[in-house]
Amino acid sequence: MESQIVEIEATAWQAVQANAAWTAALEAGKVLYFPRLGFELLPQEAGLLNPGVLSPKSRNISLDAQGALRGANGEPATVQALAAMIGRFRAQSQQLIAALLPHYTEFLRLAPTSYRPMQVESRQQSWRADDRRMHVDAFPSRPNDGERILRVFTNVNPSGVPRVWRVGEPFETVARRFLPRARAYSPWQARALRALHVTKSLRSEYDHLMLQLHDGMKSDLDYQQTADQATVPFPAGSVWVCFSDQTSHAVMSGQYMLEQTLFLAPEHQYDPQASPLAILSRLTGRPLVTQRTA
């Protein structure tokens, strides 16, 4: 299998230069990996590398676009320090994307920034929620009509423990394998899900198919073991970037990670025809959303 990892030597977040080959790789679903672009914690933030700062009922700590912190546990000073650390990572992530992908800048929509202090291996989840199974990201309750999910990750583990991913085959290969198994889209069911507030908006056929790919991949244990894939340890002090709705990935182990999500309408990509919406529309032979043409 052709490598799905593109290694980039850079040491300053805002000093990365735009590069057409890197852009094309990212929009093809590959991972841009910056081994020397770590996020530097302040001395007073060392105490935040502790699972105890996470609320027992939360999966992660998140800072929303309005600056509200959720999922944190601790004294007001601890909560304030967490918000400052996560906010600083947000700013640096935005600097990186602006330098690397300047055409995106005016079209990006900011999503919450998360801090994940728990150990991946210890999480107990259903098969559908288990991100240790290879998948592409799709949101059951939040239809996005083809909007891209661009993510910036950094490993801040103080003990040097890597965050280990499995990265799988290209999106179109995945789609060709699992689309024939997908259940047919039902417009009336989509309307019912919205009416019952199961989904926040109407689930398009695109969203339905993406969920079918996500669930099909995770439920197929033979595929999990035998599909073309590579194990990639992202060391402490590194950064990686991908479109997580397109990159086939699984998170196998690690602890203490920061993550920034940015949304991008597919028509604002450098190559809109590389988007999952365009690929699935081409494979099915029909438009999959009403408000976009791919």
Side-chain angles (χ1 to χ4, degrees), residues 130-164:
D130 188 357
D131 287 344
R132 291 171 296 186
R133 299 189 184 202
M134 207 141 51
H135 63 284
V136 290
D137 283 355
F139 301 136
S141 64
R142 288 176 288 152
N144 69 8
D145 293 312
E147 195 171 40
R148 306 307 317 279
I149 306 170
L150 178 62
R151 286 188 158 146
V152 181
F153 305 89
T154 188
N155 181 359
V156 293
N157 192 289
S159 302
V161 176
R163 195 161 187 97
V164 179

Side-chain angles (χ1 to χ4, degrees), residues 187-198:
W188 72 262
Q189 185 179 61
R191 291 193 293 271
L193 290 172
R194 181 180 59 178
L196 293 170
H197 304 291
V198 174

Side-chain angles (χ1 to χ4, degrees), residues 101-123:
L101 303 154
H103 173 70
Y104 288 0
T105 305
E106 64 179 299
F107 304 112
L108 290 170
R109 185 166 66 87
L110 185 65
T113 315
S114 70
Y115 169 45
R116 307 180 185 190
M118 296 304 292
Q119 187 179 51
V120 171
E121 306 94 298
S122 64
R123 289 198 307 231

Side-chain angles (χ1 to χ4, degrees), residues 179 182 205-213 280 284 288:
L179 272 181
E205 186 173 5
Y206 168 82
D207 293 294
H208 168 78
L209 291 177
M210 287 295 289
L211 287 168
Q212 291 290 298
L213 296 185
L280 293 178
T284 58
L288 301 176

Side-chain angles (χ1 to χ4, degrees):
M1 182 180 73
E2 179 184 351
S3 176
Q4 299 299 299
I5 308 297
V6 177
E7 187 168 324
I8 300 171
E9 286 298 324
T11 56
W13 292 68
Q14 71 279 10
V16 177
Q17 298 293 313
N19 179 295
W22 299 343
T23 301
L26 179 71
E27 292 191 344
K30 296 189 178 185
V31 180
L32 303 186
Y33 167 46
F34 301 83
R36 299 172 60 215
L37 196 66
F39 176 69
E40 188 172 349
L41 297 182
L42 302 178
Q44 63 268 30
E45 292 170 341
L48 303 178
L49 301 181
N50 181 337
V53 300
L54 178 68
S55 173
K57 295 183 179 181
S58 300
R59 283 189 63 183
N60 56 62
I61 300 168
S62 66
L63 185 71
D64 71 17
Q66 289 71 45
L69 192 71
R70 293 180 172 82
N73 180 51
E75 299 295 325
T78 299
V79 173
Q80 186 176 12
L82 283 164
M85 178 184 75
I86 298 169
R88 203 169 74 257
F89 172 70
R90 168 181 290 175
Q92 290 191 216
S93 297
Q94 290 175 302
Q95 284 182 327
L96 174 63
I97 296 303
L100 185 66
L101 303 154
H103 173 70
Y104 288 0
T105 305
E106 64 179 299
F107 304 112
L108 290 170
R109 185 166 66 87
L110 185 65
T113 315
S114 70
Y115 169 45
R116 307 180 185 190
M118 296 304 292
Q119 187 179 51
V120 171
E121 306 94 298
S122 64
R123 289 198 307 231
Q124 298 298 317
Q125 297 174 301
S126 68
W127 68 265
R128 188 174 275 111
D130 188 357
D131 287 344
R132 291 171 296 186
R133 299 189 184 202
M134 207 141 51
H135 63 284
V136 290
D137 283 355
F139 301 136
S141 64
R142 288 176 288 152
N144 69 8
D145 293 312
E147 195 171 40
R148 306 307 317 279
I149 306 170
L150 178 62
R151 286 188 158 146
V152 181
F153 305 89
T154 188
N155 181 359
V156 293
N157 192 289
S159 302
V161 176
R163 195 161 187 97
V164 179
W165 277 26
R166 287 185 292 141
V167 178
E169 54 199 4
F171 181 83
E172 184 162 340
T173 305
V174 172
R176 287 183 179 278
R177 179 190 292 254
F178 287 99
L179 272 181
R181 311 182 193 179
R183 295 195 309 272
Y185 175 65
S186 169
W188 72 262
Q189 185 179 61
R191 291 193 293 271
L193 290 172
R194 181 180 59 178
L196 293 170
H197 304 291
V198 174
T199 60
K200 297 183 185 301
S201 59
L202 189 68
R203 182 181 288 174
S204 66
E205 186 173 5
Y206 168 82
D207 293 294
H208 168 78
L209 291 177
M210 287 295 289
L211 287 168
Q212 291 290 298
L213 296 185
H214 173 278
D215 291 357
M217 295 170 76
K218 283 190 173 182
S219 65
D220 188 333
L221 296 181
D222 181 66
Y223 176 78
Q224 292 290 324
Q225 294 178 354
T226 62
D228 283 342
Q229 58 190 278
T231 298
V232 185
F234 294 108
S238 69
V239 167
W240 59 107
V241 179
C242 72
F243 279 113
S244 64
D245 54 328
Q246 187 170 15
T247 302
S248 174
H249 65 288
V251 186
M252 304 309 297
S253 64
Q255 187 175 15
Y256 304 116
M257 184 188 74
L258 287 155
E259 174 269 331
Q260 176 64 61
T261 297
L262 298 157
F263 296 126
L264 178 74
E267 58 265 29
H268 298 310
Q269 289 186 214
Y270 288 78
D271 179 10
Q273 294 306 309
S275 70
L277 176 58
I279 292 169
L280 293 178
S281 296
R282 176 165 49 79
L283 292 179
T284 58
R286 59 184 178 273
L288 301 176
V289 299
T290 55
Q291 56 268 67
R292 290 195 177 101
T293 56

